[in-house]
Amino acid sequence: MSLVEEAKKQAAYKAVDDNFPPHAKYVGIGSGSTVVYVAERIGQLKNKDSFICIPTGFQSKQLIIDNGLKLGTIEQFSDLDIAFDGADEVDPQLNLIKGGGACLFQEKLVAVSAKKFVVVADYRKKSDVLGKQWKQGIPIEIVPNSYVKITKDLKSLGAITVTLRQGGKAKAGPIITDNNNFLIDADFGEVKDPVSLHNKIKSLVGVVETGIFTNVASVSYFGEEDGKVSQWTV
Ligand SMILES: O=C[C@H](O)[C@H](O)[C@H](O)COP(=O)(O)O
């Protein structure tokens, strides 16, 4: 296992061990490569038949199924005891950039529905200020036919570059999210005021959600290069 992969695993295992409520009924499971180890650890719990897991997208649903956990939906269970998820960048106030894996709307829905939201990440995600480490831009989920208008609007708001994310080798054309939307990456450089930037972007017609998460995480676990796990809390 590579250093980064080991760091992800250590952070995820400790996050579950420290935070999983003994009598949890409803648990949110996020998306990405770090949360794979969260699902693995939760799948090792002896009482895993006593709670229901709520996914944040297709990959997350598969993780729940593959680890022998009970699956539910956010429509059925909208008050969660806890949720775990990864992040692309984390600042010391626990503002986050998320959506590098094209999931963000369902992730935010699950995160804000949980009494406690725990972030799991490796050492590369720590940052003084959002936008310093994660150079790809702020992921923004949009309704497909609004992309031309929103591209212009984001530039007016100060975006340096605005890119309609492509599906890569496996798909000619833009990536389609789990909610059948498009995804834009807008580079605003270093984001000094994430709440204000989120609010401005969110007010544009056609924007479904932004990948700026503020005032939602209460603790973040980071797997370090030396094999230890560090924590930031607010
Ligand atoms: O869209 C993806 C999610 O926001 C992920 O949680 C985020 O990209 C972090 O993923 P990873 O754990 O693979 O770095």
Side-chain angles (χ1 to χ4, degrees):
M1 195 180 265
S2 73
L3 201 64
V4 169
E5 214 50 35
E6 187 60 37
K8 291 178 187 183
K9 182 174 177 179
Q10 292 304 324
Y13 273 41
K14 185 157 173 57
V16 172
D17 294 351
D18 286 359
N19 293 284
F20 199 89
H23 304 294
K25 289 273 174 242
Y26 308 111
V27 178
I29 306 278
S31 328
S33 57
T34 315
V35 94
V36 167
Y37 300 108
V38 166
E40 184 177 281
R41 191 60 163 170
I42 294 176
Q44 293 166 2
L45 294 173
K46 289 198 176 68
N47 65 335
K48 69 178 184 180
D49 287 335
S50 68
F51 53 86
I52 293 171
C53 294
I54 312 302
T56 55
F58 183 89
Q59 177 230 2
S60 176
K61 185 165 74 174
Q62 292 307 308
L63 283 177
I64 291 167
I65 294 168
D66 292 348
N67 284 285
L69 296 162
K70 282 189 182 169
L71 178 68
T73 68
I74 194 70
E75 295 100 310
Q76 290 171 293
F77 310 109
S78 61
D79 292 310
L80 311 182
D81 298 295
I82 193 162
F84 299 87
D85 206 345
D88 299 305
E89 192 173 18
V90 184
D91 79 8
Q93 289 73 46
L94 300 190
N95 298 307
L96 316 173
I97 293 179
K98 289 182 53 55
C103 303
L104 61 87
F105 167 70
Q106 293 191 50
E107 288 184 339
K108 201 174 272 191
L109 181 61
V110 166
V112 301
S113 301
K115 286 193 189 79
K116 186 169 190 182
F117 178 52
V118 178
V119 177
V120 291
D122 62 78
Y123 53 91
R124 301 169 305 167
K125 311 296 182 64
K126 283 178 169 176
S127 183
D128 304 344
V129 56
L130 295 186
K132 198 167 178 180
Q133 304 291 339
W134 180 255
K135 300 286 189 190
Q136 203 174 300
I138 308 293
I140 305 164
E141 182 158 351
I142 63 162
V143 174
N145 66 1
S146 62
Y147 84 93
V148 174
K149 171 83 168 71
I150 288 180
T151 297
K152 288 183 201 156
D153 291 344
L154 290 168
K155 286 188 176 158
S156 302
L157 287 179
I160 304 155
T161 58
V162 180
T163 311
L164 183 62
R165 198 183 295 179
Q166 300 298 302
K169 277 191 216 146
K171 180 181 184 296
I175 202 165
I176 307 293
T177 70
D178 285 339
N179 314 303
N180 295 316
N181 289 317
F182 283 179
L183 207 130
I184 277 179
D185 293 297
D187 178 10
F188 283 88
E190 292 185 9
V191 181
K192 300 269 174 358
D193 187 345
V195 173
S196 163
L197 183 61
H198 163 80
N199 288 339
K200 285 180 193 161
I201 298 173
K202 187 78 192 275
S203 71
L204 301 174
V205 174
V207 168
V208 175
E209 194 47 78
T210 86
I212 299 175
F213 286 45
T214 57
N215 300 314
V216 58
S218 55
V219 59
S220 182
Y221 286 75
F222 301 95
E224 299 292 348
E225 283 176 284
D226 62 5
K228 293 185 179 150
V229 176
S230 64
Q231 277 179 52
W232 283 354
T233 50
V234 285

